[in-house]
Amino acid sequence: MDFYLAAVLQGLCFSGLALGIYLSMKIFNIPDITTDGSYTLGGTVTGIMLAAHIPQGFILPAVLLSGGVAGGITGFIHTKLRINALLAGILVMTALYSVNLTLMGRSNLPLLAFANLFGNWALTGSQGPDSLIVLLVITAALVFLLGYVLRTDFGIAMRATGNSESMVRALGVNTDRMKITGLAMANALTATSGYLVVQLQGFADINMGIGIVITGLGSVVIGETIIRRFRVVQPVSVLAILLAGAVLFQLALAVTLTLGIDPTLLKLVTALFVLLIVSLPRIFQSRTA
Amino acid sequence: MISLSAIHKTFNKGEPNEVVALRDVSLALKPSEYLVVIGPNGSGKSTLLNVLAGSVLPSSGEIKIGAQNVTALPEYNRSKWVARIFQDPLKGTAPELSILDNFRLAALRTSAKTLKVGTTNTFKDAVKTQISQLGMGLENKVNQQMGTLSGGQRQALTLLMCVMDEAKILLLDEPTAALDPRSAELVLQTADKLIREHQLTALLITHQLKDAFRFGNRLIFMREGEISKDLDAGEKGRLSEEELYKWFM
């Protein structure tokens, strides 16, 4: 039971990541893989601030800002310097590795000795369910906040930018600026996942972000399958389902691990699993079409 | 209202595929003038329209809208005055957004898109009233995705979207090229009506000589990047279709 609860907690921690990937890849149609770097950046910033005994109230804004700056730089390189989005993302991600290592000063930062977000709530009397409640509150807040933004006039312009750029430009939107803002938001969201994971597991690690973009993508694809199946259009519901996708993805991985798969192969299993869920609907579609 | 002076545009300058699209074109449009532009393929019609819209910047020359020099202004900054309809019906709307969201964005063409929910019930009713004048029954489908509609329906809605916000200039780039005759007729009639009602200065590019004949109060014929004929309303009225046809030969 604890094992599956851990998977659910992990999944909820990845909700920011799933929302970020959804924003960049689905809403803006930009294959942004700054993710691996901005996720670790969020974790690094959290780690060093916790270790320096900086109050929680300052940590999350700093994390959002750091992720936003990282995404903004990718957006700038992509739109203003006219570099392919994938390459722009790889460049920033690579640069962030050194940035993170410099910030942390070492490759692993243990944080168990410091108070964190999940400690001392005493809501249910045990750590696991307490963490679950805390995470549910935080992720619900993220969903409602982003859901609201997407419904506003600004949000409509955002959604239209990835959908019909020619139209949006003719309607007075600076699409370059919009994309930079969008990538900044996406990576700020991704950084919150780093923020949550580091506090949940009690350490920050320079390699924590390797392949994390696949986890985000897998979550989004699972979510999208549900969204398409039930024709969900309401932004808040769409985002909530993406969270469910993130949790389901972690649960599925947990199940594969209980089947006795060597943890060394976890990334391989993750990649294969994403390949499977991405390709299945297509294979199925081409049969029925 | 609009003045273009000595506009020159060369694409791929200095390369083997260099093309001169506009050669020192000067053109002045009075308010409420409805200019029809015809000419063979590659004569510079679309470039002329794009230069006005701001999606193509001229190599040299000056563009003024009213008293303001807009020569270097990018497209998104000219939307204050200019609304446009694309040749491809898919380009003027966002397919995955609802009709309502598309109209909301159009209603904000000249203003900032802020963090405020603008798709209120009042707005929805206003959109429904607008759409009902098309007589297509689309007013009951405002929450439907734009992409589920036909090209003709989308093009007609795009026209209405142009007048959701204050507009002075309407640019129509072969708006009916991809439409069946009936939809084409509806779109052109709607455009004509809106241009009159809102006293727009308009520019229509068309390959349909019949339409060039029926619509507008001024006609220019372009050839090789130059305006080779310029007819006012009276001269346009006296023109015969055979004569028009001969220009192309």
Side-chain angles (χ1 to χ4, degrees):
Chain A
M1 189 57 212
D2 271 0
F3 183 69
Y4 291 105
L5 178 62
V8 171
L9 295 179
Q10 181 95 346
L12 286 174
C13 284
F14 287 146
S15 54
L17 173 68
L19 298 179
I21 295 278
Y22 179 73
L23 202 59
S24 58
M25 299 219 188
K26 295 295 166 183
I27 292 189
F28 278 96
N29 243 324
I30 300 174
D32 172 36
I33 57 169
T34 317
T35 313
D36 285 16
S38 53
Y39 170 79
T40 313
L41 181 63
T44 305
V45 169
T46 309
I48 52 176
M49 288 179 87
L50 280 178
H53 299 286
I54 292 168
Q56 277 290 335
F58 293 101
I59 301 184
L60 187 56
V63 165
L64 289 170
L65 184 70
S66 64
V69 169
I73 292 174
T74 303
F76 180 85
I77 295 175
H78 172 49
T79 57
K80 300 294 179 190
L81 307 182
R82 312 227 168 270
I83 306 286
N84 175 293
L86 265 176
L87 182 57
I90 294 173
L91 288 172
V92 175
M93 177 186 87
T94 308
L96 279 175
Y97 188 87
S98 296
V99 171
N100 289 328
L101 201 51
T102 310
L103 284 175
M104 263 200 275
R106 54 214 268 195
S107 58
N108 187 294
L109 192 61
L111 297 163
L112 287 171
F114 304 96
N116 70 33
L117 186 66
F118 298 105
N120 306 325
W121 284 94
L123 297 167
T124 59
S126 72
Q127 180 72 45
D130 272 9
S131 303
L132 182 65
I133 293 170
V134 171
L135 275 175
L136 281 174
V137 170
I138 293 174
T139 51
L142 277 182
V143 164
F144 281 107
L145 194 68
L146 188 60
Y148 174 80
V149 170
L150 289 180
R151 275 182 59 226
T152 63
D153 294 339
F154 178 77
I156 296 176
M158 254 171 75
R159 286 186 283 146
T161 300
N163 204 217
S164 181
E165 211 176 322
S166 52
M167 168 222 194
V168 182
R169 259 203 301 261
L171 293 179
V173 175
N174 181 342
T175 48
D176 282 356
R177 200 191 302 161
M178 191 54 105
K179 286 181 190 170
I180 295 173
T181 313
L183 287 180
M185 279 173 67
N187 284 288
L189 283 165
T190 301
T192 62
S193 278
Y195 160 83
L196 292 172
V197 166
V198 158
Q199 304 201 58
L200 186 74
Q201 67 191 12
F203 64 89
D205 190 282
I206 190 67
N207 292 325
M208 65 189 271
I210 293 179
I212 205 74
V213 65
I214 293 300
T215 303
L217 199 58
S219 310
V220 170
V221 173
I222 295 177
E224 278 225 308
T225 312
I226 305 171
I227 289 162
R228 225 174 299 133
R229 175 75 184 74
F230 295 100
R231 301 214 167 95
V232 184
V233 285
Q234 200 64 36
V236 172
S237 322
V238 167
L239 301 178
I241 293 173
L242 292 175
L243 292 205
V247 173
L248 283 174
F249 188 67
Q250 292 309 310
L251 279 173
L253 284 182
V255 171
T256 43
L257 282 180
T258 54
L259 295 177
I261 287 180
D262 184 350
T264 329
L265 299 177
L266 189 60
K267 297 267 184 219
L268 177 64
V269 173
T270 312
L272 287 175
F273 187 60
V274 170
L275 178 64
L276 186 75
I277 49 179
V278 171
S279 58
L280 265 188
R282 303 216 172 151
I283 294 168
F284 191 68
Q285 259 171 15
S286 59
R287 289 256 169 87
T288 52
Chain B
M1 185 69 223
I2 305 172
S3 81
L4 303 177
S5 31
I7 297 293
H8 200 86
K9 178 67 194 179
T10 312
F11 289 106
N12 309 318
K13 198 172 177 75
E15 286 170 40
N17 54 350
E18 178 178 303
V19 181
V20 181
L22 293 175
R23 290 170 207 275
D24 294 317
V25 171
S26 295
L27 178 72
L29 287 181
K30 291 191 284 285
S32 310
E33 204 157 32
Y34 183 178
L35 174 74
V36 178
V37 185
I38 55 170
N41 292 324
S43 59
K45 303 184 299 296
S46 288
T47 309
L48 180 72
L49 185 137
N50 285 329
V51 159
L52 256 177
S55 50
V56 168
L57 295 179
S59 311
S60 65
E62 194 184 66
I63 309 163
K64 277 184 169 174
I65 297 180
Q68 192 168 350
N69 186 338
V70 299
T71 315
L73 230 49
E75 187 177 7
Y76 58 82
N77 278 337
R78 289 191 203 180
S79 66
K80 256 179 279 182
W81 309 280
V82 183
R84 70 185 294 193
I85 306 285
F86 296 89
Q87 183 174 350
D88 180 356
L90 308 181
K91 275 194 171 174
T93 49
E96 281 171 34
L97 268 56
S98 67
I99 296 179
L100 188 66
D101 285 349
N102 273 280
F103 270 78
R104 181 63 202 164
L105 213 50
L108 298 170
R109 201 185 68 242
T110 67
S111 50
K113 288 79 182 161
T114 59
L115 282 172
K116 204 177 69 191
V117 176
T119 45
T120 57
N121 282 332
T122 331
F123 181 78
K124 198 170 177 175
D125 290 338
V127 169
K128 283 184 179 176
T129 320
Q130 270 284 1
I131 297 181
S132 62
Q133 57 176 303
L134 287 177
M136 287 172 142
L138 292 175
E139 55 276 15
N140 300 318
K141 297 182 178 173
V142 291
N143 288 321
Q144 204 166 314
Q145 284 188 340
M146 198 55 117
T148 60
L149 306 180
S150 72
Q153 289 172 322
R154 284 175 73 168
Q155 204 68 314
L157 288 177
T158 314
L159 264 174
L160 289 181
M161 281 163 58
C162 289
V163 295
M164 283 301 288
D165 200 353
E166 197 194 341
K168 294 205 165 61
I169 299 165
L170 179 64
L171 304 178
L172 303 144
D173 185 2
E174 293 187 54
T176 59
L179 307 183
D180 66 68
R182 206 170 137 234
S183 306
E185 186 61 25
L186 176 84
V187 165
L188 286 176
Q189 293 289 0
T190 312
D192 200 48
K193 186 173 150 231
L194 294 176
I195 290 167
R196 251 178 262 236
E197 275 174 14
H198 297 265
Q199 285 154 14
L200 304 172
T201 306
L203 190 150
L204 166 73
I205 295 180
T206 183
H207 278 299
Q208 304 296 321
L209 296 186
K210 275 202 168 57
D211 296 337
F213 224 60
R214 289 189 303 152
F215 296 103
N217 47 28
R218 183 174 170 189
L219 177 77
I220 61 173
F221 178 76
M222 292 194 68
R223 181 183 284 273
E224 289 167 12
E226 289 171 337
I227 298 176
S228 81
K229 290 192 170 60
D230 187 346
L231 279 67
D232 64 21
E235 294 166 323
K236 182 173 180 292
R238 287 191 295 274
L239 193 67
S240 76
E241 207 167 326
E242 292 90 273
E243 216 172 321
L244 201 55
Y245 187 74
K246 264 187 238 152
W247 293 355
F248 282 86
M249 292 303 119

